[in-house]
Each structure stands twice: as structure tokens, then as C-alpha cells.
Amino acid sequence: MNATSGNGAPGRRFPDGFLWGASTSAYQIEGAVDEDGRGRSIWDTFSHTPGKVHGGDTGDIACDSYHRSDEDLGLLAELGLSAYRFSIAWPRIQPRGQGEVNQRGLDYYRSLIAGLRERGIAPVATVYHWELPQALEDRGGWASRETAQRFAEYAQLLAQEFGEHVAMWITLNEPLQAAHQGYRVGTHAPGKTDSELAAAATHHLLLGHGLAVEAMRSVLPAAVPIGIALDLHPIRAAGDDAVEAAAVVDAEVNRMFLEPVLHGTYPAAARNELLPAPELIEPGDMRAICAPIGFLGLNYYSPHYVRLGDWDDLRQGETPLAGGPGVVSYVPPELPRTVMGWIVEPDGLYETLHTLHREAPGLPLYVTENGCACDDYVTPEGHVNDVDRVDYLHGHLDAAWRAIQDGVNLRGYCHWSLMDNFEWARGYQRRFGLYFVDFGTQRRLPKRSATVYAHVARTNSLASGDGSVVEPLLAPAAGR
Ligand code: FCB
């Protein structure tokens, strides 16, 4: 299905109506953490705890997007995007996670959504991108069943308030990371290191998703789809002796979330210590969790390689895999990596899209996150030549295009991220944006990747080559 792209070069066309978007999340960009009645979240607490975030960074100011939404809407328009995936900060809406509703929080998102609509950009709202109100964490957080109920109420409130003005709703972002990093290894808020809590959090996050789908469905028009964003990672065995271990890791990392959501079961291959304890699973829970969804969001960054290894005698490229003594995660030194240390493998995206196509035939799929961190810098001429990101983008869009040619029902792609932001435990040290943010002045500057991506979005096709032939589309905006 080769066609001619906008600049006359042969290209790979995407289906008509394909959504081209960029993603962000509230805590990572908004700042203004003490303004307009916002309550505290677990990330406020965590980032202010010494030693938890690189360089002691916090999201207190971040990209100051709360005060600069007009400018940021302008960036999306400048890129010619048709979708914007953002998240709604629970503590702005319900400062204590239940009860009292903060009108000023609702007003903020109402105006953001209206601003997107005015520009012809579809609002894609994530209900939960990791900002649990601290008041709920104090009552047990996701390890407590009550949080699932509170989450469903909050989700229903959002559906009532914003309804069909939001084009697509995403209940949870990456429940795996919320449970694993938040409660098992403690590298994310709330920083707990307890496997039992993590297994309980897994179940309650999934239950929260299912209850939220039902609660939102009861108030939303049928045409407005609700989905979930899962981070899935192809698990590859580095060596024949690791094939069985890789299957177990796949169950514990990927199928632990995919199977309940799609089929209402936990994966048989997962070990007991990672599975939610049977007494946590009440009658009806699994049916609630597999409430029909309108689409599945895939956050894809990289595959994981595993091999057998000794936790007490780790070799180069090895890190222990939580819950699996004798098995290590391994980064083969010959494979390309980003500055996060994440392996770059576009075929992993192709393969994961096929997996989803098999698991849920016909279900619309969206790439809700994909992108890479680079050591970006501004040249003396005022440019950011992020050629590695351009390569990454091209490789992954080509993988997405190939999957579509095979019949995979992929409907859109949202790049992570619109702009550099607070990268959780890595603070501001890791830049994922299409726009470079100078955090001292809050100036936004389009990187080379922004130019390339804008070209893709505007032409709905991917030009041949590495994108270096594409002429900059973005005239430097006044004041940049
Ligand atoms: C994902 C998160 C997102 C961002 C990217 C790099 O796991 O959902 O907020 O941090 O990683």
C-alpha cells in the first residue's frame, strides 16, 4: 500500500482517520501543586522524601502547564495532531479522594477539553496516571479494596462532568508499574516494598478498572469508548535454558493484566507469590474486571530479555527480577539502548500488536505511549537535533504500519511525550519530549523529531528513509 507522501517521496500511508497524538500526564507537566484547592497525592509525598527522586526533583512546578495550557494547546495545533492524551489529577477533583468535589479542578479540565475541541483535537483522558490522593494512601492505598470503590466513584464523576466532550476514556495507566514499582520494589510512590501488598494492589487496581468501566458506562453515551492503557513487553529468553523462566515472567508481567481484563482470569503460569491471594478475590470480581472495553491502549517501549543468573553474583547487564531468584533480567550489550538503558526494538511493537490482535480479535487498538529518552541539548544555533529519537520514531511507526498491513486493527498512535517533563524517579534528568523544555525559563522548543512527527501527522504517512530529508515544517514561533 505504498503511496506518495506530502513531500512527493514514496511513503507508507496510514488508514484514513488514523489518530495522531501526543501523551502527557498531569503530575509530570502541570506543576501548581498547591493551587486552586488541589489536595496532596502520593507523588507529592514521595518526591519530597529525600533520596527517592534523582536530584531531589519534584513535580511542584514541572512544565508549569497548569498556567500555560494555551501555549501547550498551541504546540499540539502546530504539530497538526488529531489527539491529545492527558490525565486528570484525582487530587484536583477530589482533594481527599472521596466526598467533597473541587469546582476549580473541574473548571481547569473543562477549559482544557474545550480548548482541544476548538482546535479539532480529540481529547483522550486518562482517569488515573498514578496520582492517588494521599488521604486514600493513608487508608491503605491500592492494597486496600476500598480504593477500587473510591476510584470507580471518581471515574463516574468525571464521566458525568465531561461526558462525550472527551473522545476516549482510559481508566488506568500501566497498573503493572503502579503495583510493581509502587508496592513491590518501591521505586515509585508510595514507595512500599512488600510483595503481598503489591499482589493486593494488582487485584484492586484491576477491580478498580472493571468497576470504573461499569460506572462510567452507566452515564456515558454508548458511542464514547472506554479502555485501559497497559504496558506490555515481549519477554525474550536469552539462552535455551531460560525459555521456561521467560514464560513465567511473561505471565507475571504481561498476562497478569491482559488476561483478567480480556478474559476474567489470572494466568495459570504465574507463581503464587505474585498472584493476588485467593481470599482477596470476592465472587463477581473477575466478571467485573473483564467488563467489555471499547479499545485497548498499548504503551510500548522495549522488550525484556531474561536468563538464568545468580542474584548474589550478577554479571554485566544483569539485574535481579523481583520475585524470581535464579532468574535475571539481562540487557545484551550488543543491542541498541536508549539513555534509560531500555532496548530499542521496533519489532517488539510489531509482535505485541500481533499478540493483542490474536488475544482480542477485532478490538480497536491504540498505541497510547511510545518514545525514547535522549541526551538532548540546544545547539548554539538554537536547534535540538535529536536524530536518535527520529530513528526511534521511524522504526516504531514502520512497525505499526506493518502490523496494520497484516490486518491488525490499530487506530492511532500517541507519542510519549509532547514535551520534556518530570520523569518520575528520574526527575528532569530524562527527556522524552518532542519539544525541549528549558525548565529555567519554561521556554518550549521544537526538536527535530517534532518536525518529523508533524510531517507524518499532516501527511498521514511515513516517508521513506530516516526522516532526515524532511524539511522543517515549524517556523520558529515568536517568543521562543
Ligand atoms: C511510562 C509512563 C509515562 C512515562 C513513560 C516514559 O511508563 O506511563 O508516564 O513516564 O513511561
Side-chain angles (χ1 to χ4, degrees):
M1 213 223 266
N2 272 2
T4 300
S5 66
N7 66 356
R12 284 142 285 175
R13 262 199 88 71
F14 283 76
D16 288 346
F18 193 82
L19 275 191
W20 291 106
S23 294
T24 62
S25 89
Y27 189 71
Q28 293 180 274
I29 64 162
E30 284 178 1
V33 290
D34 287 324
E35 282 179 53
D36 290 345
R38 178 185 178 277
R40 279 184 82 74
S41 84
I42 54 174
W43 268 96
D44 296 303
T45 308
F46 190 76
S47 66
H48 280 270
T49 307
K52 298 297 186 195
V53 175
H54 178 89
D57 292 344
T58 73
D60 287 3
I61 299 175
C63 309
D64 196 32
S65 197
Y66 190 76
H67 298 121
R68 293 166 194 266
S69 16
D70 269 355
E71 182 182 353
D72 293 340
L73 287 167
L75 306 181
L76 295 160
E78 181 175 58
L79 291 172
L81 298 185
S82 43
Y84 178 44
R85 176 179 173 230
F86 61 97
S87 79
I88 297 178
W90 190 347
R92 281 200 199 283
I93 306 297
Q94 289 180 309
R96 301 193 53 76
Q98 58 186 317
E100 177 214 350
V101 175
N102 177 32
Q103 190 55 45
R104 286 171 297 173
L106 290 174
D107 292 346
Y108 171 71
Y109 293 107
R110 204 182 303 287
S111 120
L112 179 70
I113 291 164
L116 289 165
R117 288 289 187 188
E118 278 158 29
R119 290 165 178 80
I121 301 168
V124 178
T126 307
V127 180
Y128 184 76
H129 201 125
W130 304 351
E131 280 179 90
L132 188 70
Q134 183 62 43
L136 291 185
E137 181 56 37
D138 296 343
R139 298 164 65 91
W142 286 108
S144 155
R145 189 176 174 93
E146 185 199 338
T147 300
Q149 198 58 51
R150 297 289 87 81
F151 176 68
E153 289 160 12
Y154 154 64
Q156 187 175 49
L157 172 84
L158 295 186
Q160 255 151 2
E161 290 290 335
F162 304 124
E164 76 272 18
H165 297 296
V166 166
M168 293 168 59
W169 288 95
I170 294 171
T171 55
L172 298 179
N173 179 68
E174 301 189 357
L176 164 67
Q177 301 306 331
H180 179 72
Q181 296 208 60
Y183 292 86
R184 186 174 293 113
V185 295
T187 43
H188 279 186
K192 302 267 168 36
T193 50
D194 180 322
S195 264
E196 255 176 60
L197 293 184
T202 297
H203 185 64
H204 298 139
L205 280 154
L206 286 164
L207 181 62
H209 155 77
L211 296 177
V213 170
E214 197 194 349
M216 295 174 88
R217 226 9 341 137
S218 70
V219 294
L220 282 176
V224 181
I226 309 170
I228 184 170
L230 299 180
D231 58 311
L232 301 174
H233 315 258
I235 308 294
R236 310 208 187 287
D240 291 346
D241 54 356
V243 170
E244 232 172 88
V248 174
V249 174
D250 180 45
E252 293 169 353
V253 167
N254 297 319
R255 312 204 70 85
M256 186 72 95
F257 295 88
L258 202 53
E259 276 191 29
V261 166
L262 294 179
H263 313 304
T265 49
Y266 280 113
R271 284 160 308 146
N272 282 343
E273 54 275 32
L274 275 94
L275 285 167
E279 59 274 17
L280 293 177
I281 306 172
E282 294 189 5
D285 281 8
M286 299 315 291
R287 202 169 4 123
I289 293 172
C290 70
I293 48 176
F295 68 93
L296 193 76
L298 165 65
N299 291 1
Y300 174 80
Y301 289 93
S302 68
H304 291 331
Y305 283 69
V306 296
R307 69 179 187 187
L308 305 185
D310 182 352
W311 283 20
D312 296 322
D313 184 19
L314 294 171
R315 302 301 154 100
Q316 200 187 356
E318 294 184 349
T319 36
L321 257 181
V327 182
V328 293
S329 143
Y330 174 61
V331 178
E334 67 278 13
L335 296 185
R337 272 165 288 171
T338 71
V339 294
M340 294 292 278
W342 298 352
I343 295 166
V344 178
E345 209 185 279
D347 277 345
L349 173 60
Y350 175 78
E351 181 182 319
T352 307
L353 288 169
H354 269 281
T355 305
L356 294 177
H357 179 63
R358 271 197 312 275
E359 289 282 326
L363 184 67
L365 305 175
Y366 290 84
V367 173
T368 35
E369 285 183 28
N370 172 245
C372 70
C374 302
D375 284 330
D376 299 318
Y377 62 94
V378 184
T379 65
E381 298 75 37
H383 302 304
V384 182
N385 286 318
D386 56 339
V387 287
D388 289 345
R389 183 173 291 102
V390 169
D391 272 359
Y392 185 99
L393 185 60
H394 260 260
H396 288 79
L397 291 182
D398 175 66
W401 182 82
R402 283 186 281 126
I404 294 170
Q405 303 319 296
D406 298 344
V408 171
N409 191 10
L410 179 66
R411 303 274 186 94
Y413 171 94
C414 288
H415 191 75
W416 183 273
S417 175
L418 175 63
M419 58 191 152
D420 298 337
N421 58 45
F422 175 79
E423 179 43 39
W424 308 115
R426 312 302 277 269
Y428 298 101
Q429 176 214 24
R430 292 291 178 241
R431 295 179 175 273
F432 274 89
L434 295 165
Y435 283 81
F436 185 91
V437 176
D438 174 340
F439 292 102
T441 61
Q442 292 296 347
R443 194 164 155 256
R444 281 87 159 118
L445 185 72
K447 302 179 190 175
R448 179 161 197 93
S449 56
T451 298
V452 169
Y453 190 49
H455 187 81
V456 171
R458 286 180 197 282
T459 58
N460 198 31
S461 67
L462 189 59
S464 301
D466 64 359
S468 54
V469 293
V470 175
E471 286 304 313
L473 290 177
L474 305 171
R480 281 222 175 98

